[in-house]
Amino acid sequence: MSASQTSDVPTLLVKIFGKDRPGITAGLFDTLAAYSVDVVDIEQVVTRGRIVLCALVTRPAGGAEGELRATVHSWAESLKMQAEILSGTGDNRPRGSGRSHVTVLGHPLTAESTAAIAARITATGGNIDRIFRLAKYPVTAVEFAVSGCETEPLRTALATAAAHIGVDVAVVSAGLHRRAQRLVVMDVDSTLIQDEVIELFAAHAGCEAEVAEVTERAMRGELDFEQSLHARVALLEGLDASVVDKVRAEVRLTPGARTLIRTLKQLGYQVGVVSGGFTQVTDDLQDRLGLDFASANTLEIVDGKLTGRVTGDIVDRAGKARLLRRFAAEAGVPLEQTVAIGDGANDLDMLNAAGLGVAFNAKPVVREAAHTAVNVPFLDTVLYLLGITREEVEAAGLT
């Protein structure tokens, strides 16, 4: 039956709850089948071995409702379960317009923070239709299906609440595009990897502290990135080119980076990196991790020595956004279906250009400007913001 056909039809809501075991769902519907009822809706939840099974069915013809009730109760009691049957009319009320998925990450996720998020959804005019746990480790991740308010005002309201109560929240529009093939592009330094590559080079040149200070000021947005890049690279003049292999060996992937990329690739996503660092490192990462796209600055090497200069176009704040658009075009993915991940001020244009911009353990100025923020040290938690469950992550690791 269509929604219009069931709007005035007498219906019964049959609820079964108790200890879960195989065959409960089949057994309930075998019992109902004897009364030739139509199924209007079904929902089932299992939590810590306890099942709640709800079936909305049409009322049986010929005055057989009493018999149906007695039979269902008897069947439930035979399994040491409980049954409740409620009479009514029609289907569930239509969901409101404006539908979103709200993903909440907590480490841990407390009752207080969950209450605060739920209250803010209600205050924004939204209704929580369903709640589903995506993961229980390395963080607890739950997803709320929300209707009744538009995505952008809901995102704004929840971003403020999340910052106040200390959880990470992502809000995305519901729809088929959420699981369509996507492109994920991420920054490298302090995002894909734990290091700042230029500082690794600087350590070999004996100027690490000086370079680190300039890097930090640039990431906070206090210095022009291109000028700071040239100033830092100049300090590397004269380094032997053999240092490149040493730096590659020193690079440490962020926890969860391999899992993130492996899972995305198994699910058909394309993955790229853009970096204010250097192709001497990103090309190696592309080969090791099977990335589809990679772009960065290039250190000039002449006669086996670093010259203290870079060659080609500079990958800066505007350049990262430009590369995101280029990668999306080459991948055949609409810009609104792209995801960008970064931590510094030079990632802001890219984060804002993407369909979903994720600030990963980012500076305050970046957290405030991005669509959402992740403040736990596990890069694979970004998967939960995309609605990917822990079970899917583990399955991807087995294939």
Side-chain angles (χ1 to χ4, degrees):
M1 290 186 182
S2 67
S4 60
Q5 290 175 311
T6 61
S7 59
D8 297 320
V9 172
T11 52
L12 300 176
L13 175 60
V14 181
K15 296 172 62 178
I16 305 296
F17 40 98
K19 185 177 180 180
D20 188 29
R21 70 198 74 185
I24 291 175
T25 304
L28 173 62
F29 286 98
D30 278 344
T31 302
L32 294 173
Y35 298 92
S36 301
V37 297
D38 294 333
V39 177
V40 179
D41 197 4
I42 309 171
E43 190 150 348
Q44 177 175 305
V45 176
V46 178
T47 305
R48 210 178 67 178
R50 309 292 290 184
I51 186 172
V52 178
L53 171 60
C54 296
L56 186 65
V57 299
T58 55
R59 187 176 297 173
E65 180 181 339
E67 183 182 341
L68 180 150
R69 286 174 175 268
T71 303
V72 169
H73 279 287
S74 177
W75 169 80
E77 288 173 4
S78 72
L79 297 176
K80 297 183 179 180
M81 303 185 74
Q82 294 178 284
E84 181 181 7
I85 303 175
L86 304 174
S87 299
T89 302
D91 199 348
N92 305 305
R93 72 176 188 271
R95 295 176 62 191
S97 61
R99 300 179 184 179
S100 304
H101 295 287
V102 177
T103 307
V104 182
L105 307 179
H107 189 57
L109 182 62
T110 66
E112 181 181 10
S113 59
T114 305
I117 293 296
R120 186 58 64 94
I121 290 172
T122 301
T124 312
N127 183 71
I128 299 172
D129 300 315
R130 286 188 175 88
I131 305 175
F132 177 73
R133 188 178 72 181
L134 296 169
K136 60 182 178 181
Y137 68 93
V139 299
T140 300
V142 295
E143 181 175 285
F144 296 76
V146 176
S147 62
C149 59
E150 296 303 320
T151 298
E152 285 303 322
L154 181 62
R155 177 183 288 159
T156 300
L158 291 180
T160 303
H164 178 69
I165 64 180
V167 297
D168 298 329
V169 177
V171 182
V172 298
S173 298
L176 293 175
H177 69 275
R178 193 181 187 213
R179 281 302 188 94
Q181 187 182 58
R182 280 185 168 187
L183 168 69
V184 176
V185 175
M186 69 190 90
D187 174 44
V188 175
D189 294 10
S190 298
T191 300
L192 177 63
I193 66 174
Q194 300 177 59
D195 312 281
E196 292 287 333
V197 168
I198 196 165
E199 294 178 13
L200 296 179
F201 277 100
H204 292 279
C207 57
E208 184 178 11
E210 186 176 354
V211 166
E213 180 183 357
V214 178
T215 299
E216 182 64 24
R217 293 180 64 193
M219 291 302 97
R220 291 197 302 263
E222 297 172 4
L223 294 176
D224 173 80
F225 177 81
E226 184 171 349
Q227 290 178 336
S228 71
L229 177 68
H230 288 304
R232 289 174 291 173
V233 171
L235 297 170
L236 307 181
E237 182 180 0
L239 269 180
D240 193 272
S242 62
V243 78
V244 170
D245 288 334
K246 296 177 183 178
V247 168
R248 286 175 174 175
E250 293 166 352
V251 165
R252 300 167 300 162
L253 292 174
T254 298
R258 288 187 183 277
T259 300
L260 171 70
I261 294 168
R262 180 185 65 236
T263 305
L264 291 172
K265 298 290 287 181
Q266 287 285 346
L267 295 176
Y269 287 64
Q270 297 186 64
V271 184
V273 294
V274 291
S275 177
F278 309 112
T279 56
Q280 282 83 358
V281 171
T282 57
D283 287 351
D284 180 62
L285 289 170
Q286 183 175 18
D287 291 340
R288 286 166 51 195
L289 300 174
L291 301 172
D292 299 284
F293 304 98
S295 188
N297 301 302
T298 299
L299 291 168
E300 184 181 62
I301 298 175
V302 176
D303 296 330
K305 301 287 185 181
L306 274 65
T307 66
R309 297 185 295 270
V310 293
T311 62
D313 294 335
I314 298 298
V315 178
D316 56 7
R317 176 169 168 168
K320 288 188 173 185
R322 183 173 60 252
L323 286 163
L324 170 71
R325 294 186 176 93
R326 192 188 86 189
F327 293 167
E330 292 178 7
V333 175
L335 200 59
E336 60 269 20
Q337 291 181 19
T338 62
V339 179
I341 311 167
D343 74 298
N346 64 331
D347 297 315
L348 278 173
D349 289 1
M350 175 177 72
L351 297 180
N352 289 328
L356 178 65
V358 180
F360 180 73
N361 292 308
K363 313 299 184 290
V365 65
V366 182
R367 290 200 303 268
E368 293 168 6
H371 297 138
T372 189
V374 171
N375 295 300
V376 293
F378 313 110
L379 192 57
D380 54 338
T381 57
V382 173
L383 294 166
Y384 309 139
L385 306 183
L386 307 179
I388 298 168
T389 67
R390 188 70 202 179
E391 287 78 8
E392 290 172 304
V393 173
E394 292 173 350
L398 296 174
T399 55

